[in-house]
Amino acid sequence: MADKMVSERTGAGAAAAGSERRTLAITGMTCATCALRVEKGLKSIEGVKAATVNLATEKATVSYDPGAVDAAALEKTVADLGYGALLEAPEGAPVAQEARLNLTGMTCAACAARIERALKGVDGVQQASVNLASEKASVSYRPDRTGLSALVRAVQAAGYGAEVAQEEAPDRERELRKREFARLRRSFIIAAALSLPLLVAMVGHLFGIAALDFLMLPWVQLALATPVQFGIGYRFYRNAFHSIRAGSPGMDVLVALGTTAAYFFSVYNGFFRPMTHGEMPALYFEASAIIITLVLLGKTLEAVAKGRTSEAIKRLIGLQPRTARVLRGGLEEDIPIAEVMPGDLVIVRAGERIPVDGDIVEGASAVDESMITGESLPVEKKPGDTVIGATINSFGSFRFRATKVGRDTVLAQIIRVVEEAQGSKAPIQRLADRVAGIFAPVVLGVAVLTFLVWLLGLGNLSMGLISAVAVLVIACPCAMGLATPTAIMVGTGKGAEAGILIRSGESLERAYRLQAVVLDKTGTITEGKPSVTDLVPLNGIDRGELLRLAGAAEKGSEHPIGAAVYSAARAELGQLADPVEFEALPGRGVSARVDGRSVRIGTRSFLEDSGVPLGDLEQTRRRLEGEGKTVMIAAVDGSAVGLIAVADRVKASSGAAIQRLKALGLEVYMITGDNQITARAIAGQVGIEEVMAEVRPENKAREVERLRAQGKVVAMVGDGINDAPALATADIGMAMGTGTDIAIEAADITLMNGDLNSVADAIRLSKKSMSKIRQNLFWAFFYNTVGIPFAAVGLLSPIIAGAAMAFSSVSVVSNSLSLKRLKLRDRGPASG
């Protein structure tokens, strides 16, 4: 039930039954209006329940009813709007992989056809293509049904040689991005080559350089500007047409209108307007051509910068080894990572990356898990311990049994979480979306008004047209659409590198508003591994007998304190008898029969309710609890026979981390099931004044809700499993984990290591990310608000307006990229 609650809050359970969620990679978007247009188009499809488009990641996430709409219709709708769309595989479905094979032995086209047939005959192969000239085969296959070795064997069975090419073929989406960037760069280079003479002509005219007068001839300028306007600039006309047809004009409409007006006004002045002898025509061909060139330059630089915002994902993907050394049939064999199956025995030597997740069965080592958890020191590993794929084996060699492979590994889960976060929207982005949605129509109105004022009020047609063009160009809302998503992409990527997984842009923004943090004691402030510190026998029982009876009674207990008692007894006395009639009462204690004797161990209230006279135990119990220890009373056959004190050591980094939280202006609370005396003793060690003690697990959510009812924005920090109801109730749930048994789906923010400093890191990252978003939005709005009046009164030339507009988007993305330089903290032994 708790998991369901968490799922609903984090979005994992947001889709109704019978719905499906798919992602589309989109190309051709140029501004926030484009994103809104695509979003609006997708939402208009009958059967689509929700659609979100992210301009920075160039992806759309759509939830829809598969019984009412075909997934292919999503692609078609986006294509009809004038954009490219690529439908990605559904969540959880095996993703087709691309493989390239180097072939030998072919002599003619018939050989190539034969190999193609052989490959297509392999179960799981979706497509195969053989190139005779390059002697290579490209194969698309389902890794859950076949593998690279099967493809090689199929070619060899057909009578030819084959081996897997070292370079993997790029996936379709990456290829789409690469081609789009190549087109932008090529278009810019051509436009710049044609526009440069026009710029030189303008400079020559201003400085009276007679040798350049030929460049001012109308037919020369027409010849240079026309290919730029209608060849290179065709993309703006095409996109403008689609946006007008969709009823949501954007950047392309403004650029197309502005440059077209300047171009045809120049045509009129140069070839049709009557002029007196010796009069030079007023030509603005350079304005139209240079504006297009500068816009393309801005888009090219923007594409480069946007590519850098997703470097965290690229680095995470690059951590995955390509091959694994497995033991099959008694022989070591190096196989592609995609072919490792759960249960395989994998061999890892010193210095190698661990290929998949698993449990060590032989050997010991220290593993560098910093790329997953942010933990700087290697972690000691021995048989029975879990290892995480993509981490580095620092010293010895070992063998482990693969438990999670492919999409189930921790690394794959991290990549999915980061991708989802980078594709999400923060609430603050709604403001930019609303403004961008009405911005272009408003600007068109301002441009028309500017033209009319200059023409009718001042009688200056030329200035009216040029000022209107400057208004159209300066006002393009590209920067608004990039302000929020680029900062979210960089912020979530930066967090992932530090072992902080932020679920969504909304979580990132909400963490910035936090006022109070509730810390679960066990496993968050403390190590979470209690051990017995004191045994106080009473009423004639000796220490060994007390430990034997208590240890046997706790043998069936799953509670950490009970397990600590059992472990201490087992280590000192060896094998213990099995208890009968065992009963555990959460938050109170246990009762059982051991060797025919009735044994009860638990809290004072539990023993009193059971009718056990406690005698003179209070002074000793209070002394032990005052030392921060949890004290249980043991009773045998209805008589109290001793006290057992258990302590859970406070983490070395907890005190400093709590001071960092306070320095961020947060109220810090500790919540625990311990009694008041013990709880306050531990809280005092780490500097916490606000303590919620004697709170049972099922009541933790109620305490969190009580704080929220006071108007506080509250974060709950726990282990992500036992504290799931409280995590779900809080405004922000933070799950502490150690990488493998981490509940990634159970919180808004998941902290991959067990260091409380990560909580402060996550909140600081949120504050810095939100600061960047506010800066971006301010400059985007400020730039347009200030620029439009200057353009309208004729103080801003169209060329300067074009340059400013082109570089505004680049500046916004660059400002977001500066988050990559943020140093969350100094990572040392104490801080992790």
Short mmCIF file of all heavy atoms in Angstrom, two decimals, residues 183 306 394 406 579 652:
data_model
loop_
_atom_site.label_atom_id
_atom_site.label_comp_id
_atom_site.label_asym_id
_atom_site.label_seq_id
_atom_site.Cartn_x
_atom_site.Cartn_y
_atom_site.Cartn_z
N ARG A 183 23.24 19.88 -40.94
CA ARG A 183 22.47 20.76 -41.82
C ARG A 183 22.57 22.21 -41.36
O ARG A 183 22.74 23.12 -42.18
CB ARG A 183 21.00 20.32 -41.83
CG ARG A 183 20.71 19.15 -42.75
CD ARG A 183 19.22 19.02 -43.02
NE ARG A 183 18.47 18.72 -41.81
CZ ARG A 183 18.18 17.48 -41.39
NH1 ARG A 183 18.59 16.44 -42.11
NH2 ARG A 183 17.51 17.28 -40.28
N LYS A 306 23.42 22.84 -26.21
CA LYS A 306 22.38 21.93 -25.71
C LYS A 306 22.92 20.50 -25.64
O LYS A 306 22.55 19.73 -24.75
CB LYS A 306 21.16 21.99 -26.63
CG LYS A 306 20.28 23.20 -26.38
CD LYS A 306 19.35 23.49 -27.52
CE LYS A 306 18.36 22.38 -27.76
NZ LYS A 306 17.42 22.72 -28.85
N SER A 394 39.04 -2.17 -7.59
CA SER A 394 40.32 -1.49 -7.36
C SER A 394 41.49 -2.44 -7.17
O SER A 394 42.59 -2.19 -7.67
CB SER A 394 40.20 -0.57 -6.14
OG SER A 394 39.19 0.39 -6.33
N GLY A 406 21.11 -5.72 -18.11
CA GLY A 406 20.34 -4.89 -19.04
C GLY A 406 19.65 -3.73 -18.35
O GLY A 406 20.25 -2.97 -17.59
N PRO A 579 13.24 -20.84 19.23
CA PRO A 579 12.12 -20.47 20.10
C PRO A 579 10.81 -21.05 19.56
O PRO A 579 10.68 -21.35 18.37
CB PRO A 579 12.11 -18.94 20.01
CG PRO A 579 12.64 -18.65 18.63
CD PRO A 579 13.66 -19.74 18.36
N ALA A 652 29.74 9.39 11.35
CA ALA A 652 30.75 10.42 11.58
C ALA A 652 30.39 11.74 10.91
O ALA A 652 30.76 12.81 11.39
CB ALA A 652 32.11 9.93 11.06
#
